[in-house]
């Protein structure tokens, strides 16, 4: 009787995911997985444990699995068969354990090697998909991983530059010498070390500007309310786990920085319906449509935590702000989102909630005050989610005089 096997696409996804778990770019930062390896005598860990991670459950369609003991033996057999084809992994004879085929290098040497085979590519759209980048650069060399760093100021969003790690330094150098076009834009390619230098300068500039802003506004700090604001980002609940490779997330692995952020997650708008304006007609039409989120839907969810003063959101967007009456309500909303799996449920979507504090909070209220001094339509004030384009340009002014872009993007050029 023939041994069952995984489908071709599933096998590729499983192999790539497990290689990533044990790879140079993830394992040094994955405290959970490192602990498990150190606890074992043969530097290997339970394959059932690996299969119980959320990403693997998604690849293997293990919807009923909650812990490693729930993983079927037949699944372990076909996964072990697939992993045995990897040159970077080793599988035990009984197929129940998996580990690296080589020892990890010392930290300094490892960082040097990682940097030598990693390039930075920009400019990229904020909703770019890791899979699309992996497939694109995979045409030229084997890609180990794709990382989408956070924006220096607003860490909920992608900075516009991706870090592509190849399997060899020679491959990275070959790609750097190419003239490539992705998404209609000519890519600017540079070594990761150059990206790190630019990034460090941006961080220093941000910290310096924040210090100056704080100093200059010390006498005016009471001019706007503190702690009332949270930002949220919607993603489709039906999509399940994010498609990014973000490791054993429920075990607090270091891969969280890949998906939490989820600058993390998919950046594209999850709203299926294109609706130009949320008025009484659209409310009546889409009230029961689970694929369209209205302000009223968001208000119903967030009022569980306290009085909502305003929902700063337009139904064709996938992100916005909630302004509460009391700081305690904002704290409760953030805590509830953090404790829930992925965030708060809003119809067929999940809302990931983050507090808005410091400079972004100050800029939000400043922009709000500026807008109130100009023409305003009813009670509607809204920031449109402008893209960080090449050269740091912002999007066009929004409708009805509303400024586009997040408050921190309104005054700063894009990150590299």
């Amino acid at each position: 009787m023939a041994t069952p096997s995984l489908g071709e696409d599933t096998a590729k996804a499983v192999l790539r995911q497990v290689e990533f778990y044990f790879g140079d770019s993830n394992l040094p930062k994955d405290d959970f997985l490192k602990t498990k390896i150190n606890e074992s005598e043969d530097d290997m860990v339970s394959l059932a444990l690996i299969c119980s991670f959320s990403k693997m459950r998604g690849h293997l369609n293990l919807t009923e699995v909650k812990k490693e003991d729930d993983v079927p033996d037949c699944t372990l057999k076909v996964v072990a068969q697939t992993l045995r084809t990897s040159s970077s992994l080793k599988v035990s004879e009984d197929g129940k354990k998996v580990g690296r085929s080589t020892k990890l290098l010392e930290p300094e040497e490892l960082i040097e090697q990682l940097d030598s085979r990693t390039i930075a590519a920009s400019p990229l759209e904020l909703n770019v998909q890791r899979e699309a980048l992996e497939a694109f650069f995979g045409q030229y060399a084997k890609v180990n991983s794709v990382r989408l760093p956070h924006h220096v100021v607003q860490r909920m969003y992608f900075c516009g530059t991706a870090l592509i790690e190849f399997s060899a330094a020679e491959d990275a150098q070959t790609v750097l010498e190419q003239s490539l076009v992705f998404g209609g834009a000519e890519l600017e390619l540079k070594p990761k070390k150059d990206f790190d230098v630019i990034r460090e300068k941006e961080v220093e500039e941000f910290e310096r500007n924040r210090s100056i802003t704080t100093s200059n506004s010390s006498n005016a700090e009471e001019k706007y309310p503190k702690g009332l604001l949270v930002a949220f980002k919607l993603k489709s609940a039906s999509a399940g786990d994010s498609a990014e490779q973000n490791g054993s997330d429920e075990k607090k692995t270091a891969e969280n920085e890949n998906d939490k952020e989820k600058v993390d997650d998919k950046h594209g708008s999850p709203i299926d319906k294109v609706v130009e304006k949320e008025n009484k007609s659209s409310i009546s039409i889409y009230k029961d449509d689970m694929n369209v989120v209205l302000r009223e839907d968001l208000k119903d969810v967030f009022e569980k935590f306290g009085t909502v003063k305003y929902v700063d959101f337009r139904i064709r967007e996938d992100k916005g702000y909630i302004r509460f009456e009391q700081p305690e309500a904002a704290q409760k909303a953030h805590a509830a989102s953090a404790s829930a799996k992925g965030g708060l449920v809003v119809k067929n979507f999940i809302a990931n909630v983050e507090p808005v504090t410091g400079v972004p909070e100050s800029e939000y209220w400043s922009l709000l005050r500026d807008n109130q001094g100009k023409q305003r339509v009813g009670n509607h004030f809204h920031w449109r989610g402008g893209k960080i384009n090449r050269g740091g340009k912002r999007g066009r002014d929004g409708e009805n005089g509303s400024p586009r872009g997040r408050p921190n993007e309104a005054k700063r050029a894009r990150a590299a």
Side-chain angles (χ1 to χ4, degrees), residues 193-256:
K193 288 185 176 181
D194 291 355
F195 168 81
D196 290 339
V197 171
I198 296 172
R199 183 81 163 184
E200 185 176 351
K201 290 180 179 179
E202 289 176 343
V203 172
E204 291 175 354
E205 181 181 359
F206 168 64
E207 294 295 340
R208 182 170 59 253
N209 290 339
R210 182 167 62 176
S211 176
I212 294 173
T213 301
T214 302
S215 176
N216 292 341
S217 62
S218 59
N219 296 326
E221 283 194 353
E222 299 306 320
K223 291 185 178 180
Y224 70 89
K226 307 290 196 305
L228 305 182
L229 204 60
V230 296
F232 66 86
K233 182 175 177 64
L234 298 172
K235 71 173 182 178
S236 173
S238 63
D241 292 322
S242 167
E244 297 107 45
Q245 298 177 347
N246 62 354
S248 46
D249 44 344
E250 65 268 62
K251 307 299 190 303
K252 298 183 179 179
T253 72
E255 285 186 78
N256 282 333

Side-chain angles (χ1 to χ4, degrees), residues 152-200:
V152 169
V153 181
Q154 180 54 285
R155 293 184 60 79
M156 285 184 68
Y157 302 99
F158 169 48
C159 74
T161 298
L163 299 177
I164 318 297
E165 181 199 337
F166 295 97
S167 60
E170 294 78 9
D171 292 336
Q173 186 59 43
T174 299
V175 174
L176 283 173
E177 296 170 358
Q178 304 288 325
S179 296
L180 304 180
V181 175
F182 180 86
E186 183 177 352
L187 293 179
E188 180 182 352
L189 305 176
K190 60 173 69 76
K192 181 179 178 293
K193 288 185 176 181
D194 291 355
F195 168 81
D196 290 339
V197 171
I198 296 172
R199 183 81 163 184
E200 185 176 351

Side-chain angles (χ1 to χ4, degrees), residues 224-229 356-366 407:
Y224 70 89
K226 307 290 196 305
L228 305 182
L229 204 60
V356 180
T357 59
V359 174
E361 181 184 35
S362 162
E363 291 177 348
Y364 180 98
W365 290 107
S366 176

Side-chain angles (χ1 to χ4, degrees), residues 52-58 62-67 233 235-242 246-251 256 259-260 262 265 333-346 348-353:
S52 71
F53 293 165
S54 64
K55 293 299 172 187
M56 289 291 286
R57 294 200 308 268
L62 299 176
T63 56
E64 303 300 321
V65 170
K66 302 299 181 185
K67 55 186 186 297
K233 182 175 177 64
K235 71 173 182 178
S236 173
S238 63
D241 292 322
S242 167
N246 62 354
S248 46
D249 44 344
E250 65 268 62
K251 307 299 190 303
N256 282 333
D259 72 335
K260 298 301 185 198
K262 266 255 101 292
D265 287 342
H334 176 234
S337 173
S339 62
K341 183 179 180 181
L344 305 176
V345 177
V346 184
N348 283 345
F349 302 93
I350 300 295
N352 180 32
V353 180

